[in-house]
Amino acid sequence: MTILVTGAAGFIGSNFVMNWLDKIDENIVSLDMLTYAGNLENLSSLSNDSRHFFIKGDISDSELISSILNKYKPRAIINFAAESHVDRSISTPENFIQTNILGTFRILQNTLIYWESLGKIDKKNFRFVQISTDEVYGDLEVESEKFTEDNKYLPNSPYSASKAASDHLVRAWHHTYKLPVITTNCSNNYGPFQFPEKLIPLCIINAISNKPIPIYGDGKQTRDWLYVKDHCEAIRAVLENGLVGDTYNIGGDSEKTNIEVVELICKLLDSVQPRTDEVTYLKQISFVKDRPGHDRRYAIDSSKIQKELSWKPKETLASGMKKTIKWYLDNDEWIKNVVSGDYKKWIDKHYS
Ligand code: NAD
Ligand code: TYD
């Protein structure tokens, strides 16, 4: 059997594919458009794995999606493909509308045609899993209860609005056409292979490169951090045992302000790789202009998935951060290629 993973060369997608092939002996077709955020080097450990097939392509390309579905006949699709960075969504929203909304519509529509062509048992067992975010719930007041699956969608950024729109399409394709979908809403992820435009890798890389570590505004915004491998395991649990039509919140029970996160990274770096002048990395923290429309707080109540699917995060923020820092320190070649954009040249050579 086979599953199709979209956005598989990105941060969470690549971790998911590697985690899957490590735990489960089932083929994966990876589809990714290889935008600036998609890096085939993330999947290089699988280059000799005969269970893995990579296809460069766009989820908005109906002809391609339809041919992939008919050729590989996946039993499930995990849809990670998206434009994912809030700051980019503020400066260039159009790509977000294109991929997150139109792209999701196209892959849903082609999945529906494929699903309707399946025999009775395959049709019953098929799943479309939509990977979404806690950001669709909007800004949480300091005193408010954490987000549950019953919270209203109140997105505030072009990114979260486009993800909310895609989640609504997924819901409608289930309600109207009975397509067997499940949606997950996860909090902020961190871990290996995250593109260094996001807070945690940016902070680690700037710290060891002796550059300022930018904190937006007062740094008191809070996020609920989850180690990426824990997210991957939650998605596997949802795929295997989640209820069709349901949504599942996934979080790390690890709410921290941005400044707390950055201080943790600086202190861990001080002990594992002190600066040559032995001054603390905390000295590199630099408060900069705030992000427009910056949500103050997100926090996930993950009791539903914990109770119904027996999943819980294995890493605390401290243990996950130690692993993450070690990975970035051990992978300076990956960092060099990402920062210089060299991985894009490789893609252009092999795929143009
Ligand atoms: P990412 O930006 O690292 O990866 C996205 C991947 O999708 C890239 O490899 C990119 O090339 C690919 N892609 C973009 N447009 C495409 C298209 N039209 N067709 C095919 N591929 C395309 O993002 P990520 O952090 O790995 O996030 C993956 C998913 O998880 C996204 O849907 C995001 O909304 C969701 N999510 C992320 C987080 C987080 O903290 N990173 C938290 C919750 C949910
Ligand atoms: P980010 O990693 O971009 O994820 P998201 O916006 O999806 O939550 O940002 C996490 C938090 O860190 C967010 O509150 C914005 C803040 N931030 C900074 O303070 N400085 C930075 O340089 C970046 C990239 C983010």
Side-chain angles (χ1 to χ4, degrees):
M1 290 211 282
T2 299
I3 64 164
L4 171 63
V5 175
T6 74
F11 163 48
I12 308 176
S14 61
N15 275 284
F16 179 84
V17 169
M18 286 182 282
N19 183 260
W20 177 276
L21 290 172
D22 189 36
K23 305 272 179 197
I24 294 177
D25 195 18
E26 182 176 357
N27 290 355
I28 288 199
V29 176
S30 285
L31 173 71
D32 198 295
M33 194 165 88
L34 301 178
T35 66
Y36 79 94
N39 182 356
L40 264 187
E41 217 178 315
N42 297 357
L43 296 169
S44 60
S45 65
L46 303 175
S47 52
N48 293 320
D49 193 324
S50 60
R51 300 168 301 169
H52 182 241
F53 306 87
F54 179 81
I55 298 165
K56 179 177 187 281
D58 184 346
I59 57 165
S60 315
D61 182 343
S62 288
E63 215 173 294
L64 175 70
I65 300 298
S66 161
S67 76
I68 292 172
L69 295 177
N70 290 316
K71 178 170 177 195
Y72 292 97
K73 306 216 172 303
R75 70 165 176 102
I77 299 174
I78 320 292
N79 188 33
F80 291 97
E83 288 293 335
S84 69
H85 190 42
V86 174
D87 293 327
R88 284 181 192 252
S89 82
I90 294 167
S91 55
T92 51
E94 183 116 8
N95 296 342
F96 289 72
I97 307 304
Q98 174 63 38
T99 283
N100 300 0
I101 305 181
L102 191 62
T104 304
F105 156 69
R106 292 259 171 80
I107 195 169
L108 273 173
Q109 188 60 5
N110 285 289
T111 302
L112 177 64
I113 295 166
Y114 164 72
W115 176 72
E116 283 178 336
S117 76
L118 294 174
K120 202 169 163 197
I121 294 172
D122 289 344
K123 210 169 162 186
K124 181 164 173 277
N125 292 336
F126 183 84
R127 297 287 180 274
F128 182 100
V129 181
Q130 165 73 355
I131 306 302
S132 191
T133 163
D134 58 359
E135 304 194 24
V136 295
Y137 296 124
D139 202 0
L140 193 61
E141 296 290 329
V142 181
E143 305 78 28
S144 298
E145 299 289 321
K146 296 177 177 190
F147 298 130
T148 71
E149 289 78 0
D150 295 329
N151 273 70
K152 266 195 211 157
Y153 270 33
L154 293 168
N156 289 320
S157 71
Y159 163 65
S160 55
S162 66
K163 288 294 289 185
S166 60
D167 296 356
H168 288 321
L169 292 173
V170 170
R171 179 189 151 88
W173 260 242
H174 172 64
H175 190 81
T176 304
Y177 307 109
K178 308 291 172 248
L179 186 69
V181 308
I182 307 177
T183 296
T184 59
N185 294 91
C186 189
S187 61
N188 282 60
N189 283 217
Y190 67 99
F193 300 104
Q194 188 167 31
F195 193 82
E197 63 185 354
K198 305 278 169 72
L199 178 67
I200 288 176
L202 182 82
C203 172
I204 298 169
I205 292 172
N206 279 17
I208 58 177
S209 316
N210 203 18
K211 289 187 183 153
I213 301 167
I215 304 271
Y216 297 163
D218 62 4
K220 302 249 174 72
Q221 303 81 6
T222 64
R223 299 291 183 263
D224 172 4
W225 293 96
L226 180 68
Y227 189 63
V228 64
K229 200 166 165 197
D230 281 324
H231 186 189
C232 296
E233 290 183 357
I235 296 166
R236 280 203 281 115
V238 166
L239 173 63
E240 296 318 324
N241 295 311
L243 283 182
V244 167
D246 260 20
T247 66
Y248 293 89
N249 278 0
I250 304 169
D253 264 333
S254 213
E255 232 190 295
K256 294 278 177 260
T257 63
N258 292 335
I259 189 72
E260 283 171 331
V261 170
V262 171
E263 284 174 359
L264 172 67
I265 295 170
C266 290
K267 286 176 189 161
L268 287 170
L269 278 173
D270 282 341
S271 69
V272 295
Q273 185 170 299
R275 280 169 42 135
T276 45
D277 60 6
E278 289 183 14
V279 171
T280 169
Y281 288 98
L282 294 167
K283 284 275 182 274
Q284 288 170 233
I285 292 176
S286 163
F287 288 88
V288 298
K289 193 162 164 272
D290 206 354
R291 170 188 282 172
H294 198 170
D295 286 337
R296 290 295 285 183
R297 180 178 175 229
Y298 308 133
I300 281 278
D301 176 344
S302 61
S303 50
K304 176 178 171 181
I305 187 172
Q306 299 213 21
K307 221 177 297 144
E308 294 184 11
L309 304 182
S310 305
W311 169 88
K312 65 175 193 309
K314 294 194 175 104
E315 302 292 345
T316 62
L317 184 62
S319 67
M321 194 64 84
K322 273 189 199 147
K323 290 184 178 176
T324 304
I325 288 176
K326 180 170 177 355
W327 187 86
Y328 280 93
L329 293 179
D330 289 346
N331 286 278
D332 51 340
E333 197 61 25
W334 183 92
I335 296 175
K336 216 170 72 204
N337 288 342
V338 168
V339 172
S340 70
D342 271 2
Y343 72 104
K344 295 295 290 176
K345 289 184 204 143
W346 189 91
I347 290 161
D348 290 345
K349 198 163 135 212
H350 288 76
Y351 284 95
S352 56

